[in-house]
Amino acid sequence: MPRNDTIRRYAFFSTGLFVSAFGISLITKAGLGTSPISSVPYVLSFIYPLTFGQFTFVINMIMVGGQILILKKEFRKIQLLQIPVTLLFGIFIDATMGLLGSVHPSHYPVKIILLLLGSVVLGAGIAVQVRANALILPGEGLVKAIASVTGKKFGMVKTLFDSSLVCAAIALSLIHLSGITGLREGTVISALTVGSISHFFIRRLSNFDIPVREAENG
């Protein structure tokens, strides 16, 4: 692959990371819960003295370790680039949460609008990452690894994986916070809408001349 093409792919991918982080922050600031993939780090940020972005990095490192354990020799060393990518993603989440620091909607219709806007932004960010055809984030990578060794469809494993994260976040919240914190109807709405939104934007980006990787979840 030509060097300029590689640089372009990773620059495009990094843009997608920032857009995704901004979308997650918008969803979170709506006050109706965060996205499923961010549920565990968000709840942990209420329990321990680390930020949302820092816990995002920690949890994603666990997911990278899971990929290595599952795939063993089939784990490609290039995927270790998930580590600096996730560090950047965590920085982006903290930065965008800071940018939105003064956003505290009090009216429910405004919360819903902000939630839906965040879902659109997150879906767009995911689409840009896919079109970049560079790397995958650890969450997607772990789902792909599980699907490959079990023979199950990516979409089904993804749904079970996200559901497991939400259940873990609920358990952590109940144990340490004496109630459910950071998880509400917005988590469900995000789970149901972001996938379709990302596919919509992937189609709209079809004329971009960096070819899309094969979509495991169709």
Side-chain angles (χ1 to χ4, degrees):
M1 184 184 297
R3 185 169 181 270
N4 287 342
D5 187 42
T6 300
I7 293 173
R8 188 182 182 192
R9 287 177 190 277
Y10 282 93
F12 199 57
F13 182 81
S14 297
T15 300
L17 277 183
F18 181 82
V19 174
S20 294
F22 190 58
I24 288 172
S25 294
L26 284 170
I27 291 170
T28 305
K29 294 298 289 186
L32 298 175
T34 191
S35 62
I37 193 68
S38 299
S39 57
V40 172
Y42 188 54
V43 169
L44 286 172
S45 71
F46 287 100
I47 302 171
Y48 300 104
L50 290 179
T51 66
F52 186 12
Q54 289 168 342
F55 269 122
T56 295
F57 176 73
V58 171
I59 296 301
N60 277 271
M61 289 305 94
I62 294 173
M63 292 178 183
V64 172
Q67 293 175 58
I68 295 172
L69 289 174
I70 291 171
L71 296 175
K72 298 181 176 64
K73 293 182 179 179
E74 293 182 12
F75 181 82
R76 297 173 58 205
K77 291 183 179 179
I78 186 67
Q79 292 303 329
L80 289 174
L81 287 175
Q82 291 177 39
I83 296 173
V85 161
T86 303
L87 177 61
L88 183 63
F89 189 48
I91 291 171
F92 283 161
I93 286 178
D94 281 344
T96 52
M97 286 292 285
L99 287 173
L100 297 170
S102 61
V103 177
H104 301 287
S106 56
H107 300 292
Y108 194 78
V110 178
K111 291 176 183 258
I112 289 292
I113 291 171
L114 191 61
L115 169 68
L116 295 177
L117 176 61
S119 296
V120 170
V121 173
L122 176 56
I126 292 171
V128 171
Q129 291 175 56
V130 170
R131 281 292 172 191
N133 196 21
L135 286 171
I136 55 177
L137 286 173
E140 185 185 17
L142 181 56
V143 170
K144 184 178 178 182
I146 294 171
S148 69
V149 299
T150 61
K152 304 297 183 181
K153 290 185 178 180
F154 182 93
M156 184 181 73
V157 177
K158 174 66 172 172
T159 299
L160 292 173
F161 182 71
D162 284 352
S163 299
S164 298
L165 289 176
V166 172
C167 289
I170 290 173
L172 285 167
S173 184
L174 289 173
I175 293 170
H176 295 282
L177 301 171
S178 302
I180 297 178
T181 300
L183 299 163
R184 285 184 53 183
E185 62 270 32
T187 304
V188 178
I189 294 171
S190 173
L192 294 175
T193 59
V194 170
S196 298
I197 292 169
S198 64
H199 282 299
F200 171 82
F201 281 111
I202 287 170
R203 291 195 299 270
R204 292 301 181 274
L205 288 170
S206 60
N207 291 329
F208 192 80
D209 61 4
I210 292 180
V212 65
R213 69 171 180 266
E214 189 70 23
E216 297 91 349
N217 58 346

PDB file of all heavy atoms in Angstrom, residues 114-150:
ATOM      1  N   LEU A 114     -31.111  15.907  21.948  1.00  0.00           N
ATOM      2  CA  LEU A 114     -29.659  15.784  22.100  1.00  0.00           C
ATOM      3  C   LEU A 114     -29.225  14.324  21.961  1.00  0.00           C
ATOM      4  O   LEU A 114     -28.194  14.024  21.345  1.00  0.00           O
ATOM      5  CB  LEU A 114     -29.240  16.337  23.460  1.00  0.00           C
ATOM      6  CG  LEU A 114     -27.732  16.537  23.694  1.00  0.00           C
ATOM      7  CD1 LEU A 114     -27.166  17.524  22.687  1.00  0.00           C
ATOM      8  CD2 LEU A 114     -27.477  17.025  25.110  1.00  0.00           C
ATOM      9  N   LEU A 115     -30.015  13.415  22.522  1.00  0.00           N
ATOM     10  CA  LEU A 115     -29.732  11.984  22.401  1.00  0.00           C
ATOM     11  C   LEU A 115     -29.746  11.546  20.949  1.00  0.00           C
ATOM     12  O   LEU A 115     -28.828  10.844  20.481  1.00  0.00           O
ATOM     13  CB  LEU A 115     -30.758  11.182  23.201  1.00  0.00           C
ATOM     14  CG  LEU A 115     -30.789   9.669  22.981  1.00  0.00           C
ATOM     15  CD1 LEU A 115     -29.522   9.023  23.521  1.00  0.00           C
ATOM     16  CD2 LEU A 115     -32.030   9.062  23.620  1.00  0.00           C
ATOM     17  N   LEU A 116     -30.763  11.950  20.208  1.00  0.00           N
ATOM     18  CA  LEU A 116     -30.869  11.560  18.798  1.00  0.00           C
ATOM     19  C   LEU A 116     -29.754  12.193  17.971  1.00  0.00           C
ATOM     20  O   LEU A 116     -29.200  11.556  17.068  1.00  0.00           O
ATOM     21  CB  LEU A 116     -32.237  11.957  18.247  1.00  0.00           C
ATOM     22  CG  LEU A 116     -33.432  11.221  18.871  1.00  0.00           C
ATOM     23  CD1 LEU A 116     -34.746  11.752  18.298  1.00  0.00           C
ATOM     24  CD2 LEU A 116     -33.319   9.713  18.642  1.00  0.00           C
ATOM     25  N   LEU A 117     -29.424  13.449  18.282  1.00  0.00           N
ATOM     26  CA  LEU A 117     -28.310  14.103  17.590  1.00  0.00           C
ATOM     27  C   LEU A 117     -27.014  13.343  17.847  1.00  0.00           C
ATOM     28  O   LEU A 117     -26.223  13.095  16.922  1.00  0.00           O
ATOM     29  CB  LEU A 117     -28.177  15.551  18.074  1.00  0.00           C
ATOM     30  CG  LEU A 117     -26.986  16.341  17.516  1.00  0.00           C
ATOM     31  CD1 LEU A 117     -27.077  16.453  15.999  1.00  0.00           C
ATOM     32  CD2 LEU A 117     -26.935  17.735  18.149  1.00  0.00           C
ATOM     33  N   GLY A 118     -26.798  12.944  19.105  1.00  0.00           N
ATOM     34  CA  GLY A 118     -25.600  12.181  19.436  1.00  0.00           C
ATOM     35  C   GLY A 118     -25.561  10.848  18.712  1.00  0.00           C
ATOM     36  O   GLY A 118     -24.496  10.408  18.265  1.00  0.00           O
ATOM     37  N   SER A 119     -26.712  10.196  18.573  1.00  0.00           N
ATOM     38  CA  SER A 119     -26.772   8.910  17.873  1.00  0.00           C
ATOM     39  C   SER A 119     -26.410   9.079  16.401  1.00  0.00           C
ATOM     40  O   SER A 119     -25.713   8.240  15.819  1.00  0.00           O
ATOM     41  CB  SER A 119     -28.177   8.306  18.008  1.00  0.00           C
ATOM     42  OG  SER A 119     -28.468   8.010  19.358  1.00  0.00           O
ATOM     43  N   VAL A 120     -26.880  10.177  15.801  1.00  0.00           N
ATOM     44  CA  VAL A 120     -26.542  10.458  14.399  1.00  0.00           C
ATOM     45  C   VAL A 120     -25.044  10.713  14.256  1.00  0.00           C
ATOM     46  O   VAL A 120     -24.389  10.181  13.346  1.00  0.00           O
ATOM     47  CB  VAL A 120     -27.354  11.668  13.879  1.00  0.00           C
ATOM     48  CG1 VAL A 120     -26.838  12.112  12.511  1.00  0.00           C
ATOM     49  CG2 VAL A 120     -28.834  11.317  13.791  1.00  0.00           C
ATOM     50  N   VAL A 121     -24.494  11.508  15.159  1.00  0.00           N
ATOM     51  CA  VAL A 121     -23.059  11.823  15.101  1.00  0.00           C
ATOM     52  C   VAL A 121     -22.230  10.554  15.317  1.00  0.00           C
ATOM     53  O   VAL A 121     -21.249  10.311  14.600  1.00  0.00           O
ATOM     54  CB  VAL A 121     -22.703  12.901  16.142  1.00  0.00           C
ATOM     55  CG1 VAL A 121     -21.188  13.108  16.198  1.00  0.00           C
ATOM     56  CG2 VAL A 121     -23.394  14.215  15.801  1.00  0.00           C
ATOM     57  N   LEU A 122     -22.623   9.735  16.287  1.00  0.00           N
ATOM     58  CA  LEU A 122     -21.898   8.482  16.535  1.00  0.00           C
ATOM     59  C   LEU A 122     -21.976   7.562  15.335  1.00  0.00           C
ATOM     60  O   LEU A 122     -20.967   6.961  14.931  1.00  0.00           O
ATOM     61  CB  LEU A 122     -22.468   7.789  17.778  1.00  0.00           C
ATOM     62  CG  LEU A 122     -21.874   6.415  18.132  1.00  0.00           C
ATOM     63  CD1 LEU A 122     -20.362   6.491  18.300  1.00  0.00           C
ATOM     64  CD2 LEU A 122     -22.534   5.864  19.394  1.00  0.00           C
ATOM     65  N   GLY A 123     -23.161   7.449  14.745  1.00  0.00           N
ATOM     66  CA  GLY A 123     -23.305   6.615  13.552  1.00  0.00           C
ATOM     67  C   GLY A 123     -22.436   7.094  12.405  1.00  0.00           C
ATOM     68  O   GLY A 123     -21.828   6.293  11.687  1.00  0.00           O
ATOM     69  N   ALA A 124     -22.351   8.415  12.243  1.00  0.00           N
ATOM     70  CA  ALA A 124     -21.500   8.980  11.199  1.00  0.00           C
ATOM     71  C   ALA A 124     -20.031   8.678  11.469  1.00  0.00           C
ATOM     72  O   ALA A 124     -19.265   8.333  10.557  1.00  0.00           O
ATOM     73  CB  ALA A 124     -21.720  10.490  11.098  1.00  0.00           C
ATOM     74  N   GLY A 125     -19.623   8.793  12.735  1.00  0.00           N
ATOM     75  CA  GLY A 125     -18.231   8.505  13.095  1.00  0.00           C
ATOM     76  C   GLY A 125     -17.857   7.062  12.827  1.00  0.00           C
ATOM     77  O   GLY A 125     -16.763   6.766  12.330  1.00  0.00           O
ATOM     78  N   ILE A 126     -18.767   6.149  13.153  1.00  0.00           N
ATOM     79  CA  ILE A 126     -18.520   4.729  12.890  1.00  0.00           C
ATOM     80  C   ILE A 126     -18.379   4.491  11.392  1.00  0.00           C
ATOM     81  O   ILE A 126     -17.493   3.746  10.942  1.00  0.00           O
ATOM     82  CB  ILE A 126     -19.659   3.876  13.475  1.00  0.00           C
ATOM     83  CG1 ILE A 126     -19.612   3.930  15.000  1.00  0.00           C
ATOM     84  CG2 ILE A 126     -19.557   2.426  12.990  1.00  0.00           C
ATOM     85  CD1 ILE A 126     -20.814   3.299  15.679  1.00  0.00           C
ATOM     86  N   ALA A 127     -19.233   5.136  10.605  1.00  0.00           N
ATOM     87  CA  ALA A 127     -19.178   4.979   9.150  1.00  0.00           C
ATOM     88  C   ALA A 127     -17.845   5.459   8.584  1.00  0.00           C
ATOM     89  O   ALA A 127     -17.252   4.820   7.707  1.00  0.00           O
ATOM     90  CB  ALA A 127     -20.328   5.745   8.497  1.00  0.00           C
ATOM     91  N   VAL A 128     -17.350   6.582   9.097  1.00  0.00           N
ATOM     92  CA  VAL A 128     -16.056   7.103   8.641  1.00  0.00           C
ATOM     93  C   VAL A 128     -14.937   6.120   8.988  1.00  0.00           C
ATOM     94  O   VAL A 128     -14.044   5.859   8.171  1.00  0.00           O
ATOM     95  CB  VAL A 128     -15.783   8.486   9.275  1.00  0.00           C
ATOM     96  CG1 VAL A 128     -14.349   8.927   8.988  1.00  0.00           C
ATOM     97  CG2 VAL A 128     -16.760   9.520   8.735  1.00  0.00           C
ATOM     98  N   GLN A 129     -14.991   5.528  10.184  1.00  0.00           N
ATOM     99  CA  GLN A 129     -13.981   4.539  10.567  1.00  0.00           C
ATOM    100  C   GLN A 129     -14.005   3.329   9.632  1.00  0.00           C
ATOM    101  O   GLN A 129     -12.963   2.824   9.220  1.00  0.00           O
ATOM    102  CB  GLN A 129     -14.226   4.077  12.004  1.00  0.00           C
ATOM    103  CG  GLN A 129     -13.969   5.129  13.055  1.00  0.00           C
ATOM    104  CD  GLN A 129     -14.353   4.637  14.435  1.00  0.00           C
ATOM    105  OE1 GLN A 129     -13.878   3.602  14.891  1.00  0.00           O
ATOM    106  NE2 GLN A 129     -15.236   5.370  15.107  1.00  0.00           N
ATOM    107  N   VAL A 130     -15.201   2.865   9.309  1.00  0.00           N
ATOM    108  CA  VAL A 130     -15.326   1.710   8.418  1.00  0.00           C
ATOM    109  C   VAL A 130     -14.790   2.042   7.034  1.00  0.00           C
ATOM    110  O   VAL A 130     -14.036   1.266   6.438  1.00  0.00           O
ATOM    111  CB  VAL A 130     -16.802   1.257   8.336  1.00  0.00           C
ATOM    112  CG1 VAL A 130     -16.984   0.211   7.238  1.00  0.00           C
ATOM    113  CG2 VAL A 130     -17.260   0.686   9.670  1.00  0.00           C
ATOM    114  N   ARG A 131     -15.149   3.222   6.511  1.00  0.00           N
ATOM    115  CA  ARG A 131     -14.701   3.626   5.177  1.00  0.00           C
ATOM    116  C   ARG A 131     -13.185   3.853   5.127  1.00  0.00           C
ATOM    117  O   ARG A 131     -12.570   3.735   4.069  1.00  0.00           O
ATOM    118  CB  ARG A 131     -15.426   4.887   4.730  1.00  0.00           C
ATOM    119  CG  ARG A 131     -16.829   4.623   4.220  1.00  0.00           C
ATOM    120  CD  ARG A 131     -16.793   3.844   2.928  1.00  0.00           C
ATOM    121  NE  ARG A 131     -18.120   3.412   2.526  1.00  0.00           N
ATOM    122  CZ  ARG A 131     -18.336   2.544   1.542  1.00  0.00           C
ATOM    123  NH1 ARG A 131     -17.324   2.008   0.894  1.00  0.00           N
ATOM    124  NH2 ARG A 131     -19.568   2.198   1.230  1.00  0.00           N
ATOM    125  N   ALA A 132     -12.590   4.166   6.261  1.00  0.00           N
ATOM    126  CA  ALA A 132     -11.139   4.372   6.286  1.00  0.00           C
ATOM    127  C   ALA A 132     -10.401   3.080   5.988  1.00  0.00           C
ATOM    128  O   ALA A 132      -9.274   3.086   5.489  1.00  0.00           O
ATOM    129  CB  ALA A 132     -10.705   4.928   7.638  1.00  0.00           C
ATOM    130  N   ASN A 133     -11.026   1.934   6.316  1.00  0.00           N
ATOM    131  CA  ASN A 133     -10.432   0.628   6.012  1.00  0.00           C
ATOM    132  C   ASN A 133      -9.022   0.509   6.600  1.00  0.00           C
ATOM    133  O   ASN A 133      -8.093   0.076   5.940  1.00  0.00           O
ATOM    134  CB  ASN A 133     -10.398   0.414   4.492  1.00  0.00           C
ATOM    135  CG  ASN A 133     -10.156  -1.048   4.127  1.00  0.00           C
ATOM    136  OD1 ASN A 133     -10.392  -1.940   4.928  1.00  0.00           O
ATOM    137  ND2 ASN A 133      -9.681  -1.272   2.921  1.00  0.00           N
ATOM    138  N   ALA A 134      -8.885   0.922   7.867  1.00  0.00           N
ATOM    139  CA  ALA A 134      -7.559   0.923   8.501  1.00  0.00           C
ATOM    140  C   ALA A 134      -7.495  -0.078   9.644  1.00  0.00           C
ATOM    141  O   ALA A 134      -6.835  -1.113   9.543  1.00  0.00           O
ATOM    142  CB  ALA A 134      -7.231   2.333   9.000  1.00  0.00           C
ATOM    143  N   LEU A 135      -8.154   0.221  10.754  1.00  0.00           N
ATOM    144  CA  LEU A 135      -8.144  -0.631  11.942  1.00  0.00           C
ATOM    145  C   LEU A 135      -9.569  -0.830  12.437  1.00  0.00           C
ATOM    146  O   LEU A 135     -10.511  -0.237  11.902  1.00  0.00           O
ATOM    147  CB  LEU A 135      -7.318   0.011  13.059  1.00  0.00           C
ATOM    148  CG  LEU A 135      -5.802   0.008  12.916  1.00  0.00           C
ATOM    149  CD1 LEU A 135      -5.208   0.879  14.016  1.00  0.00           C
ATOM    150  CD2 LEU A 135      -5.244  -1.405  13.013  1.00  0.00           C
ATOM    151  N   ILE A 136      -9.707  -1.649  13.465  1.00  0.00           N
ATOM    152  CA  ILE A 136     -10.962  -1.759  14.172  1.00  0.00           C
ATOM    153  C   ILE A 136     -10.704  -1.473  15.644  1.00  0.00           C
ATOM    154  O   ILE A 136      -9.606  -1.707  16.140  1.00  0.00           O
ATOM    155  CB  ILE A 136     -11.611  -3.150  14.006  1.00  0.00           C
ATOM    156  CG1 ILE A 136     -10.635  -4.259  14.427  1.00  0.00           C
ATOM    157  CG2 ILE A 136     -12.102  -3.357  12.597  1.00  0.00           C
ATOM    158  CD1 ILE A 136     -11.233  -5.647  14.356  1.00  0.00           C
ATOM    159  N   LEU A 137     -11.697  -0.941  16.330  1.00  0.00           N
ATOM    160  CA  LEU A 137     -11.558  -0.700  17.761  1.00  0.00           C
ATOM    161  C   LEU A 137     -11.663  -2.019  18.517  1.00  0.00           C
ATOM    162  O   LEU A 137     -12.236  -2.989  18.019  1.00  0.00           O
ATOM    163  CB  LEU A 137     -12.632   0.281  18.235  1.00  0.00           C
ATOM    164  CG  LEU A 137     -12.410   1.748  17.827  1.00  0.00           C
ATOM    165  CD1 LEU A 137     -13.622   2.582  18.206  1.00  0.00           C
ATOM    166  CD2 LEU A 137     -11.152   2.320  18.464  1.00  0.00           C
ATOM    167  N   PRO A 138     -11.107  -2.089  19.736  1.00  0.00           N
ATOM    168  CA  PRO A 138     -11.057  -3.357  20.467  1.00  0.00           C
ATOM    169  C   PRO A 138     -12.413  -4.029  20.680  1.00  0.00           C
ATOM    170  O   PRO A 138     -12.504  -5.255  20.659  1.00  0.00           O
ATOM    171  CB  PRO A 138     -10.418  -2.955  21.800  1.00  0.00           C
ATOM    172  CG  PRO A 138      -9.537  -1.811  21.444  1.00  0.00           C
ATOM    173  CD  PRO A 138     -10.310  -1.046  20.412  1.00  0.00           C
ATOM    174  N   GLY A 139     -13.468  -3.235  20.897  1.00  0.00           N
ATOM    175  CA  GLY A 139     -14.785  -3.834  21.090  1.00  0.00           C
ATOM    176  C   GLY A 139     -15.221  -4.643  19.887  1.00  0.00           C
ATOM    177  O   GLY A 139     -15.631  -5.803  19.999  1.00  0.00           O
ATOM    178  N   GLU A 140     -15.102  -4.035  18.719  1.00  0.00           N
ATOM    179  CA  GLU A 140     -15.451  -4.724  17.478  1.00  0.00           C
ATOM    180  C   GLU A 140     -14.497  -5.894  17.235  1.00  0.00           C
ATOM    181  O   GLU A 140     -14.896  -6.964  16.762  1.00  0.00           O
ATOM    182  CB  GLU A 140     -15.410  -3.750  16.300  1.00  0.00           C
ATOM    183  CG  GLU A 140     -15.874  -4.376  14.993  1.00  0.00           C
ATOM    184  CD  GLU A 140     -15.723  -3.434  13.813  1.00  0.00           C
ATOM    185  OE1 GLU A 140     -14.987  -2.438  13.938  1.00  0.00           O
ATOM    186  OE2 GLU A 140     -16.319  -3.698  12.754  1.00  0.00           O
ATOM    187  N   GLY A 141     -13.212  -5.673  17.569  1.00  0.00           N
ATOM    188  CA  GLY A 141     -12.217  -6.725  17.368  1.00  0.00           C
ATOM    189  C   GLY A 141     -12.500  -7.950  18.220  1.00  0.00           C
ATOM    190  O   GLY A 141     -12.348  -9.089  17.760  1.00  0.00           O
ATOM    191  N   LEU A 142     -12.921  -7.735  19.482  1.00  0.00           N
ATOM    192  CA  LEU A 142     -13.227  -8.862  20.365  1.00  0.00           C
ATOM    193  C   LEU A 142     -14.466  -9.604  19.880  1.00  0.00           C
ATOM    194  O   LEU A 142     -14.503 -10.842  19.899  1.00  0.00           O
ATOM    195  CB  LEU A 142     -13.428  -8.360  21.797  1.00  0.00           C
ATOM    196  CG  LEU A 142     -13.725  -9.432  22.853  1.00  0.00           C
ATOM    197  CD1 LEU A 142     -12.634 -10.502  22.862  1.00  0.00           C
ATOM    198  CD2 LEU A 142     -13.858  -8.795  24.231  1.00  0.00           C
ATOM    199  N   VAL A 143     -15.477  -8.868  19.443  1.00  0.00           N
ATOM    200  CA  VAL A 143     -16.681  -9.500  18.898  1.00  0.00           C
ATOM    201  C   VAL A 143     -16.328 -10.341  17.671  1.00  0.00           C
ATOM    202  O   VAL A 143     -16.783 -11.483  17.517  1.00  0.00           O
ATOM    203  CB  VAL A 143     -17.739  -8.442  18.537  1.00  0.00           C
ATOM    204  CG1 VAL A 143     -18.890  -9.068  17.748  1.00  0.00           C
ATOM    205  CG2 VAL A 143     -18.271  -7.775  19.790  1.00  0.00           C
ATOM    206  N   LYS A 144     -15.486  -9.789  16.807  1.00  0.00           N
ATOM    207  CA  LYS A 144     -15.069 -10.512  15.604  1.00  0.00           C
ATOM    208  C   LYS A 144     -14.310 -11.777  15.969  1.00  0.00           C
ATOM    209  O   LYS A 144     -14.491 -12.839  15.347  1.00  0.00           O
ATOM    210  CB  LYS A 144     -14.189  -9.605  14.741  1.00  0.00           C
ATOM    211  CG  LYS A 144     -13.786 -10.220  13.409  1.00  0.00           C
ATOM    212  CD  LYS A 144     -12.955  -9.240  12.589  1.00  0.00           C
ATOM    213  CE  LYS A 144     -12.515  -9.864  11.269  1.00  0.00           C
ATOM    214  NZ  LYS A 144     -11.660  -8.924  10.498  1.00  0.00           N
ATOM    215  N   ALA A 145     -13.443 -11.707  17.005  1.00  0.00           N
ATOM    216  CA  ALA A 145     -12.678 -12.876  17.438  1.00  0.00           C
ATOM    217  C   ALA A 145     -13.601 -13.956  17.988  1.00  0.00           C
ATOM    218  O   ALA A 145     -13.451 -15.146  17.665  1.00  0.00           O
ATOM    219  CB  ALA A 145     -11.660 -12.458  18.509  1.00  0.00           C
ATOM    220  N   ILE A 146     -14.568 -13.550  18.809  1.00  0.00           N
ATOM    221  CA  ILE A 146     -15.525 -14.521  19.374  1.00  0.00           C
ATOM    222  C   ILE A 146     -16.334 -15.177  18.263  1.00  0.00           C
ATOM    223  O   ILE A 146     -16.548 -16.396  18.256  1.00  0.00           O
ATOM    224  CB  ILE A 146     -16.452 -13.834  20.394  1.00  0.00           C
ATOM    225  CG1 ILE A 146     -15.648 -13.355  21.609  1.00  0.00           C
ATOM    226  CG2 ILE A 146     -17.568 -14.786  20.845  1.00  0.00           C
ATOM    227  CD1 ILE A 146     -16.436 -12.467  22.560  1.00  0.00           C
ATOM    228  N   ALA A 147     -16.779 -14.362  17.306  1.00  0.00           N
ATOM    229  CA  ALA A 147     -17.570 -14.899  16.198  1.00  0.00           C
ATOM    230  C   ALA A 147     -16.769 -15.897  15.370  1.00  0.00           C
ATOM    231  O   ALA A 147     -17.291 -16.928  14.924  1.00  0.00           O
ATOM    232  CB  ALA A 147     -18.067 -13.748  15.312  1.00  0.00           C
ATOM    233  N   SER A 148     -15.471 -15.614  15.191  1.00  0.00           N
ATOM    234  CA  SER A 148     -14.645 -16.484  14.350  1.00  0.00           C
ATOM    235  C   SER A 148     -14.397 -17.846  14.986  1.00  0.00           C
ATOM    236  O   SER A 148     -14.351 -18.865  14.301  1.00  0.00           O
ATOM    237  CB  SER A 148     -13.310 -15.801  14.032  1.00  0.00           C
ATOM    238  OG  SER A 148     -12.504 -15.694  15.194  1.00  0.00           O
ATOM    239  N   VAL A 149     -14.258 -17.888  16.316  1.00  0.00           N
ATOM    240  CA  VAL A 149     -13.968 -19.163  16.978  1.00  0.00           C
ATOM    241  C   VAL A 149     -15.232 -19.953  17.301  1.00  0.00           C
ATOM    242  O   VAL A 149     -15.177 -21.169  17.474  1.00  0.00           O
ATOM    243  CB  VAL A 149     -13.134 -18.961  18.266  1.00  0.00           C
ATOM    244  CG1 VAL A 149     -11.797 -18.317  17.933  1.00  0.00           C
ATOM    245  CG2 VAL A 149     -13.891 -18.148  19.298  1.00  0.00           C
ATOM    246  N   THR A 150     -16.368 -19.256  17.394  1.00  0.00           N
ATOM    247  CA  THR A 150     -17.619 -19.949  17.707  1.00  0.00           C
ATOM    248  C   THR A 150     -18.422 -20.300  16.468  1.00  0.00           C
ATOM    249  O   THR A 150     -19.312 -21.147  16.526  1.00  0.00           O
ATOM    250  CB  THR A 150     -18.505 -19.097  18.638  1.00  0.00           C
ATOM    251  OG1 THR A 150     -18.825 -17.853  17.982  1.00  0.00           O
ATOM    252  CG2 THR A 150     -17.796 -18.811  19.950  1.00  0.00           C
TER     253      THR A 150
END
